Amino acid sequence: MTEQTETLQRPALVVDFGAQYAQLIARRVREAGVYSEIVPHTATAEEIAAKNPVALILSGGPSSVYEDGAPQLDPSVFDLGVPTLGICYGFQYMAQTLGGEVAHTGLREYGATDAHIPDNQSSLLAGQPAEQNVWMSHGDQVARAPEGFEVLATTDATKVAAFANEERKLYGVQWHPEVKHSDHGQAIIENFLHKGAGLPADWNSDNVIAEQIERIREQVGDARVISALSGGVDSAVSTALVHKAIGDQLTAVFVDHGLLRKGEREQVEKDYVESTGVRLITVDAADTFLGHLAGVSDPETKRKIIGREFIRAFEQVQRDLVEEAKASGGAPVKFLVQGTLYPDVVESGGGAGTANIKSHHNVGGLPDDFDFELVEPLRALFKDEVRAIGRELGIPEAIVGRQPFPGPGLGIRIIGEVTRERLEVLREADAIAREELTKAGLDEAIWQCPVVLLADVRSVGVQGDGRTYGHPIVLRPVSSEDAMTADWTRLPYDVLARISNRITNEVREVNRVVLDVTSKPPATIEWE
């Protein structure tokens, strides 16, 4: 398989010391107009140099730098001459490695903290107010800065809260500038990139499109390609991007697996095709998918079955296209386009030291006898970046602006066995919720609102003066930037009331609507 994880631009590298915020740092760098990639702290100086980085950012982490087994970075990295910013643990590791002192003083700082920034000439804190609120999360402190470093900031508990060596372009802060709780955090990241490292803010959606078109053409050559088009944002944008690169070499395949939301097939077959000109083949596979899902309640098993049957559907299309190519003397079908995003890779255990939160049908859920090479032009991107690219490509806003929807569809929003009857119940409830959120003008205020059917749960209710024993529906509205973390959205009570009233009145099998008020973590956005 071929994975597209590189860019034609030189990256700023985020060195991950096991931080919960490593991906967020990478996002903030991109928001500053600089391309970023994440590498593990186990990467050697030689491996880092081979990526030809324009800057390094050392992330935070949960360890103490002086503990046995604490994450280490090849000290030779600091001799590469690459501008470097250390954050929290990365700041302490830099201090210790370069001859400073890190100590456990018993003075801990967690959450909002006042930082004091005296007048200084540092590029890192240029334009910063002398007093500002920052977000801390540390039990150890830099007690003494390395020789040649200027102390830039202090707090009541920390004598060295930030430092810089302008000559070597080495910088560090004890707080977390990547989180929005730090009042001027993004300005610090931008100062490091643009003033300290001297980088232009020239990475944007136009560059991504141009770079990926070049990469796709190089990878594919004159072979024919099929695309997994689900109707969601990710697959819609990846398909349009590949089509822009290779035109009629691409055939989009839309599998109607019976797990779609109301109106989705029509939206793909009409609106999307009209706007992109992509050749589309629709596969009616509901009977096959539901047959394999019969009797299955385990969520991981569901995902694997759905992922496997997706590939089987594509393989059948491949065989059909091979015969077509033979008859016309055309090129072979060798590649499959998938709309894999960076959060998919992370949550599926991609990268060193990441936990497998859940399997994803695009990542690690492919059968062992998989017979395509992958084209994944969005694999290194976050959702907001994908939407920007989609708009540049002219995809209708109804598609590019829609809420994320999982590839396994409604199959993982039914808690229990998936049946046609249960799908119809959930499909109607989901359509009502989406319609009311749109009417209330809340589509842009929330990231996603999964509607979940607790199919194996029944509760007593009363409707029409009679006793009912119906299913609960769960509303899961969440706010997020990239799905790595999320909080439940505080929807207006009147909107919730309308959704609840309509679902219990119009969907006969449902007699109760409940609201999920859990953040991520500890929960995931989807229930399965």
Side-chain angles (χ1 to χ4, degrees):
M1 297 182 208
T2 301
E3 294 183 356
Q4 289 190 308
T5 58
E6 299 177 4
T7 177
L8 300 182
Q9 264 190 308
R10 294 174 60 193
L13 296 181
V14 177
V15 178
D16 186 1
F17 282 106
Q20 61 176 321
Y21 294 137
Q23 292 80 28
L24 185 55
I25 296 171
R27 277 184 49 82
R28 297 294 182 240
V29 172
R30 296 183 188 192
E31 289 171 7
V34 177
Y35 180 73
S36 63
E37 293 179 4
I38 298 174
V39 296
H41 66 85
T42 52
T44 65
E46 183 179 6
E47 290 169 336
I48 288 176
K51 288 183 171 288
N52 201 16
V54 292
L56 298 175
I57 299 181
L58 312 184
S59 82
S63 303
S64 294
V65 294
Y66 47 75
E67 289 179 348
D68 290 339
Q72 302 288 307
L73 178 66
D74 185 344
S76 301
V77 165
F78 296 113
D79 297 324
L80 295 176
V82 179
T84 301
L85 171 66
I87 294 174
C88 194
Y89 181 92
F91 167 64
Q92 295 175 2
Y93 181 79
M94 179 188 291
Q96 184 185 66
T97 303
L98 297 177
E101 180 184 351
V102 177
H104 184 70
T105 65
L107 299 174
R108 302 184 299 172
E109 292 176 313
Y110 294 99
T113 306
D114 291 327
H116 316 299
I117 302 173
D119 185 31
N120 62 74
Q121 303 302 312
S122 166
S123 58
L124 185 68
L125 299 180
Q128 298 279 303
E131 302 290 328
Q132 59 181 271
N133 189 262
V134 301
W135 193 258
M136 291 285 197
S137 181
H138 69 102
D140 301 328
Q141 287 142 344
V142 176
R144 179 173 53 83
E147 186 177 349
F149 281 73
E150 177 189 4
V151 176
L152 306 180
T154 64
T155 71
D156 291 344
T158 304
K159 292 191 296 184
V160 184
F163 61 38
N165 184 319
E166 291 287 354
E167 183 179 353
R168 298 180 63 184
K169 297 189 180 299
L170 300 178
Y171 310 89
V173 292
Q174 180 60 70
W175 63 89
H176 287 275
E178 72 273 21
V179 302
K180 291 190 174 180
H181 306 294
S182 291
D183 290 344
H184 301 276
Q186 184 64 14
I188 289 175
I189 291 173
E190 291 177 2
N191 279 348
F192 165 67
L193 295 169
H194 304 319
K195 298 180 185 296
L199 303 175
D202 62 357
W203 189 77
N204 52 48
S205 57
D206 287 339
N207 290 343
V208 174
I209 291 171
E211 291 172 1
Q212 286 302 324
I213 285 175
E214 184 174 338
R215 290 184 60 81
I216 291 164
R217 289 172 177 168
E218 180 181 353
Q219 181 186 5
V220 168
D222 61 358
R224 298 179 71 182
V225 181
I226 59 177
S227 175
L229 181 61
S230 70
V233 179
D234 310 338
S235 67
V237 174
S238 59
T239 297
L241 186 52
V242 174
H243 183 258
K244 186 173 181 66
I246 62 173
D248 292 341
Q249 289 174 243
L250 173 71
T251 299
V253 179
F254 177 66
V255 177
D256 185 351
H257 47 28
L259 309 173
L260 300 171
R261 296 194 291 189
K262 194 171 184 178
E264 285 191 304
R265 177 168 175 168
E266 294 79 6
Q267 187 180 59
V268 170
E269 291 181 327
K270 183 176 185 297
D271 298 342
Y272 184 78
V273 170
E274 286 182 358
S275 67
T276 62
V278 171
R279 178 192 179 193
L280 177 68
I281 295 176
T282 299
V283 179
D284 291 300
D287 290 343
T288 300
F289 276 78
L290 294 180
H292 286 289
L293 289 169
V296 177
S297 296
D298 178 71
E300 284 298 289
T301 305
K302 286 184 194 176
R303 286 177 176 272
K304 291 183 184 300
I305 289 171
I306 294 168
R308 181 193 71 209
E309 293 308 314
F310 256 109
I311 297 302
R312 296 295 174 246
F314 293 129
E315 288 177 334
Q316 181 57 56
V317 172
Q318 181 193 35
R319 288 190 286 271
D320 295 342
L321 291 175
V322 164
E323 293 303 316
E324 177 185 302
K326 286 180 179 177
S328 63
V333 181
K334 294 174 56 179
F335 296 92
L336 170 66
V337 179
Q338 286 194 152
T340 310
L341 303 193
Y342 188 68
D344 302 334
V345 178
V346 172
E347 289 202 334
S348 299
T354 54
N356 189 342
I357 308 297
K358 61 186 178 183
S359 66
H360 188 274
H361 70 287
N362 282 354
V363 186
L366 303 174
D368 293 336
D369 56 350
F370 181 70
D371 194 29
F372 296 99
E373 289 187 55
L374 291 182
V375 179
E376 297 180 299
L378 311 178
R379 188 181 177 92
L381 303 181
F382 292 96
K383 182 74 75 173
D384 58 332
E385 296 167 333
V386 172
R387 293 191 199 279
I389 291 169
R391 293 183 176 103
E392 289 289 331
L393 294 171
I395 298 174
E397 187 62 29
I399 294 177
V400 78
R402 67 178 296 187
Q403 295 177 8
F405 187 60
L410 297 179
I412 60 167
R413 292 184 177 175
I414 294 176
I415 309 304
E417 181 185 4
V418 179
T419 67
R420 290 184 186 276
E421 294 75 18
R422 290 174 171 182
L423 282 166
E424 285 306 312
V425 170
L426 180 54
R427 196 171 281 125
E428 291 302 317
D430 174 85
I432 290 169
R434 286 190 290 138
E435 181 181 335
E436 290 299 331
L437 290 172
T438 298
K439 281 182 181 178
L442 294 170
D443 286 341
E444 294 185 7
I446 62 175
W447 169 268
Q448 190 175 358
C449 186
V451 177
V452 181
L453 173 64
L454 303 185
D456 287 345
V457 176
R458 287 182 180 272
S459 65
V460 174
V462 56
Q463 292 171 300
D465 295 326
R467 179 183 185 276
T468 62
Y469 198 49
H471 297 292
I473 282 286
V474 180
L475 303 179
R476 173 71 166 138
V478 297
S479 300
S480 180
E481 289 189 344
D482 51 31
M484 300 306 300
T485 60
D487 193 14
W488 66 281
T489 308
R490 278 64 168 173
L491 294 178
Y493 288 156
D494 59 333
V495 176
L496 290 171
R498 283 197 299 273
I499 294 173
S500 177
N501 289 340
R502 284 196 59 193
I503 289 176
T504 53
N505 286 336
E506 299 175 31
V507 185
R508 186 173 58 84
E509 297 84 352
V510 176
N511 66 357
R512 193 178 299 269
V513 175
V514 300
L515 179 67
D516 183 343
V517 294
T518 319
S519 63
K520 175 188 177 181
T524 55
I525 293 177
E526 297 288 346
W527 272 48
E528 290 199 343

